Amino acid sequence: MAFYLLRRVLYAIPIALAVGFVCFMLVQIAPGDPINAIVPPDAPADVVEQVRRDYGLDQPLPVQFGLWLWKVAQGDLGRSLATGRPVWADLSSAIGNTLLLAAVASAIGFTLGCVLGGLAGTFRGSVLDRIAVGAAVAGVSVPHYWLGMVLVVIFSVQLNWLPAMGAGPGGSADWAWDWAHMQYLVLPAVTLSVIPMGIVTRTVRGIVAEIMNQEFVVALRGKGLTRRGVFLHVVKNAAPNTLAVMGLQLGYLMGGSILVETVFSWPGTGLLLNNAIFQRDLPVLQGTILVLAMFFVALNLIVDLMQTALDPRIKRA
Amino acid sequence: MSTTTDPAARLPAATAAEAELAVQARQAPVRSEGYWAGVWKRLRRDPVTIVCASILLLMLLAIVFAPLLAPHDPYQGSMLRRLRPIGTEGHPLGTDELGRDILTRLLYGGRLSWYMGITPVVLAFFIGTFLGVIAGYAGGRVNMAIMRVTDVFYAFPSVLLAVAISGALGAGIGNAILALTLVFIPPIIRVAESVTQGVRNLDFVDAARASGAGAITVVRVHVLGNVLGPIFVYATSLISVSMIIASGLSFLGLGTRPPEPEWGLMLNTLRTAIYVQPWVAVLPGVCIFITSLCFNLLADGLRQAMDVKG
């Protein structure tokens, strides 16, 4: 077990390096000279050459990757072409906002998913089951950026109950857990929650149905255990796999919120990415993707370790 | 053959579903002559699948015959008839921000949306199956090399990877398709690899090898027939996601470019109109939703009819 955990942690290192390499290559595959990602296009030729030498862009590709990696390891993601500010400065506040949105969205999605999936798995074939399955399919099939627009049309345009975009008074910097701020979070979080809702419902339904079919549940019932008692046994057995799916979903939300953030102008990493794409601001694009991907790698690792720790049946040599 | 890969080295995303696929393949049902007849019989009895298949077929016909069905020119608008509501005379679904007929643009837009959603899955199906079957059948170092590279791409959330690649390459239909193909190859490789590993050690494969058949013959004659079904079903289930992300890329301005009609891009340009004609503005999304829902349900139906778990 300890050996497995150690191996798993060590395995994350080459993965992280490779992910870094893919992010490094993003600028290389971009059309045009990578130097354009550092200096503005109207810079004089001698400055361009100077910068090229300073950044080691005249070196072979592996050396460049090493240099880039060294900078990244020190927290230097380069400077934005559009604003001239360090990428990390914009990124750090954006990450907080995306994390906030993803956390609230997953709280909604996971709760709904567990309740719907649990009920559907317990009462298979019932009307409730059909509703849950329908909701799950709809949740994974809906283009969430469109759902966001529909919610804005209903709740902002028609009913005028909730704001359509932004992050509230004072922007995200003055975030507080009061209604004045939280009302801005409602629509984007609900929009973003439909995908994890659908996936968690499907997963939990499958797991619970499988457990309910096992003999030990029949035995527990026959022994005269209360519904509550049986429920606890089912939860205990369903937890490891469910948590694993949830962990990955949180990561997908962090990476996938770009569309929803664009719809609601939520000042997170998605909006940052969107602006970077429009302005062809490659350092920002590269830095944001790198940080989000690293977050996902870490999350993968945590989920895997947690699952092993929670489920003694998993014996991985 | 060499030993199978150490499961410990895999990422957790090698889910229960994939494991089940492997088990499924190991217990591959004996296919009598009536396998496809049975599949067809089960499909016909499934009302949801039939309805979804019919809707998709109608849509396909509508977008193929768009030039015959569309009442107007998809590019030609009139500044005098901007943002008319649904039910306007001559414009049953209203007009967009440049006075172009929405119904016409939805019909033409479906062409690009379908093309951009389905092409990546088809390409990824061929490339992913090829690499996955090689990895699963060859095992050893070949398996290591292919699966570890797959792991790296798995370390990106799919939408992020698609946005990253097409964002770096720049807007364009080709770039979006390339990005999406790269997103879908790794999951298909994983499924193909695990199914192939399950089949590889079955007795009839051993028998074929023992009787002197070469690797290519064994794979072509004995392995492919048993693995293509599950991989195909899995690939079908990806079409729905692919359509959503493809239109999403256009929505972000990364796929198609104006004035080309495409559902995601239409949704983007109509976004400014939600205060004027909200219900016209959300129409392209309805098309994406219906298509993606039908492909999802169709994939579920296929999975059940073909008796593939996962």
Side-chain angles (χ1 to χ4, degrees):
Chain A
M1 170 97 164
F3 179 65
Y4 165 72
L5 291 179
L6 185 69
R7 266 191 65 163
R8 183 63 189 81
V9 173
L10 287 180
Y11 183 62
I13 296 170
I15 287 285
L17 279 176
V19 165
F21 181 69
V22 172
C23 292
F24 168 74
M25 287 307 288
L26 282 179
V27 171
Q28 309 294 322
I29 61 168
D33 194 332
I35 193 88
N36 295 332
I38 301 165
V39 294
D42 51 355
D46 53 326
V47 175
V48 172
E49 282 315 305
Q50 181 63 37
V51 173
R52 195 188 294 275
R53 265 194 306 278
D54 287 351
Y55 277 76
L57 285 178
D58 48 353
Q59 308 274 342
L61 215 57
V63 179
Q64 281 187 43
F65 176 56
L67 286 172
W68 177 79
L69 207 61
W70 179 241
K71 278 202 178 118
V72 168
Q74 292 167 323
D76 178 9
L77 295 172
R79 283 174 179 276
S80 161
L81 289 184
T83 62
R85 291 194 296 172
V87 171
W88 179 248
D90 292 335
L91 195 52
S92 52
S93 66
I95 287 174
N97 291 330
T98 295
L99 207 53
L100 175 70
L101 178 60
V104 175
S106 15
I108 301 171
F110 293 171
T111 313
L112 273 176
C114 285
V115 171
L116 278 177
L119 287 172
T122 315
F123 306 105
R124 270 196 98 150
S126 65
V127 181
L128 211 74
D129 185 23
R130 287 203 195 133
I131 294 173
V133 171
V137 175
V140 294
S141 308
V142 72
H144 47 296
Y145 39 95
W146 168 75
L147 181 69
M149 275 175 73
V150 173
L151 290 179
V152 166
V153 166
I154 296 173
F155 292 100
S156 305
V157 180
Q158 307 273 343
L159 297 171
N160 205 12
W161 286 357
L162 292 162
M165 48 182 55
S172 58
D174 294 325
W175 180 263
W177 288 99
D178 54 17
W179 181 241
H181 288 87
M182 273 164 66
Q183 58 177 346
Y184 287 88
L185 194 58
V186 177
L187 291 184
V190 168
T191 306
L192 201 56
S193 73
V194 293
I195 301 171
M197 185 276 290
I199 290 170
V200 172
T201 302
R202 271 189 175 185
T203 314
V204 171
R205 176 178 178 266
I207 295 173
V208 168
E210 202 194 311
I211 296 171
M212 294 298 276
N213 275 338
Q214 282 178 21
E215 285 178 351
F216 85 94
V217 176
V218 181
L220 288 174
R221 281 223 187 95
K223 216 175 69 176
L225 195 64
T226 56
R227 271 167 178 263
R228 205 181 113 86
V230 176
F231 176 73
L232 287 178
H233 275 275
V234 173
V235 168
K236 200 175 151 191
N237 278 277
N241 284 337
T242 310
L243 284 175
V245 171
M246 285 180 179
L248 292 184
Q249 281 304 309
L250 182 66
Y252 282 126
L253 281 194
M254 290 278 299
S257 67
I258 172 166
L259 287 153
V260 172
E261 286 183 15
T262 306
V263 171
F264 291 100
S265 297
W266 182 260
T269 49
L271 200 62
L272 200 65
L273 266 182
N274 195 14
N275 292 336
I277 288 165
F278 266 98
Q279 298 164 331
R280 301 264 336 132
D281 196 343
L282 286 172
V284 174
L285 181 81
Q286 187 183 43
T288 311
I289 299 217
L290 177 73
V291 171
L292 285 175
M294 285 303 167
F295 183 83
F296 195 57
V297 171
L299 204 64
N300 256 319
L301 177 65
I302 294 169
V303 163
D304 218 16
L305 296 181
M306 199 176 64
Q307 205 184 6
T308 320
L310 272 179
D311 196 344
R313 289 171 301 188
I314 301 179
K315 282 209 184 85
R316 305 186 217 200
Chain B
M1 299 308 298
S2 49
T3 52
T4 52
T5 356
D6 183 357
R10 298 223 198 135
L11 283 178
T15 54
E18 286 168 22
E20 267 181 47
L21 276 174
V23 173
Q24 174 70 22
R26 219 165 280 138
Q27 306 162 340
V30 183
R31 287 188 190 180
S32 56
E33 274 179 13
Y35 175 75
W36 289 107
V39 169
W40 176 234
K41 211 162 101 188
R42 282 191 291 272
L43 271 182
R44 263 188 327 191
R45 282 205 208 114
D46 183 354
V48 177
T49 309
I50 292 301
V51 169
C52 288
S54 313
I55 294 175
L56 289 174
L57 195 66
L58 279 177
M59 263 198 181
L60 184 65
L61 289 175
I63 59 178
V64 167
F65 294 107
L68 298 176
L69 295 168
H72 297 273
D73 184 287
Y75 302 102
Q76 194 65 48
S78 158
M79 283 299 155
L80 299 172
R81 294 192 308 267
R82 284 164 58 187
L83 290 171
R84 293 291 167 89
I86 295 173
T88 306
E89 179 97 43
H91 301 285
L93 295 181
T95 57
D96 71 1
E97 76 287 351
L98 295 174
R100 296 170 298 197
D101 183 54
I102 293 278
L103 176 62
T104 304
R105 285 182 65 81
L106 285 178
L107 285 168
Y108 278 95
R111 296 179 152 196
L112 268 180
S113 292
W114 276 54
Y115 172 67
M116 287 175 63
I118 294 176
T119 315
V121 179
V122 173
L123 292 176
F125 172 72
F126 286 114
I127 302 170
T129 304
F130 180 72
L131 290 173
V133 169
I134 290 180
Y137 189 78
R141 284 204 186 143
V142 178
N143 180 294
M144 270 286 274
I146 295 176
M147 298 317 288
R148 290 303 84 85
V149 174
T150 309
D151 284 351
V152 174
F153 283 92
Y154 247 92
F156 290 90
S158 47
V159 176
L160 189 69
L161 186 60
V163 169
I165 298 171
S166 52
L169 289 173
I173 298 171
N175 289 346
I177 289 176
L178 176 66
L180 278 170
T181 307
L182 285 173
V183 166
F184 291 125
I185 290 174
I188 291 181
I189 289 184
R190 277 207 178 173
V191 170
E193 189 244 11
S194 84
V195 183
T196 307
Q197 277 200 352
V199 172
R200 185 182 72 167
N201 298 324
L202 291 179
D203 287 345
F204 68 87
V205 178
D206 277 340
R209 255 200 307 267
S211 66
I216 293 173
T217 312
V218 174
V219 168
R220 190 169 53 84
V221 179
H222 301 283
V223 176
L224 273 188
N226 284 293
V227 299
L228 279 183
I231 306 173
F232 177 75
V233 168
Y234 180 72
T236 330
S237 73
L238 291 177
I239 293 179
S240 160
V241 186
S242 178
M243 296 213 61
I244 294 179
I245 306 182
S247 290
L249 287 177
S250 293
F251 182 75
L252 289 174
L254 280 175
T256 30
R257 273 173 284 202
E260 218 60 52
E262 196 276 340
W263 293 340
L265 185 64
M266 286 171 72
L267 206 55
N268 182 17
T269 54
L270 282 166
R271 203 147 57 96
T272 47
I274 56 169
Y275 293 97
V276 191
Q277 290 295 347
W279 302 115
V280 172
V282 298
L283 278 175
V286 176
C287 296
I288 306 172
F289 186 28
I290 293 175
T291 317
S292 128
L293 188 66
C294 287
F295 270 118
N296 234 332
L297 291 168
L298 185 69
D300 281 353
L302 264 183
R303 175 175 303 150
Q304 266 168 20
M306 289 173 73
D307 199 24
V308 176
K309 283 183 190 159

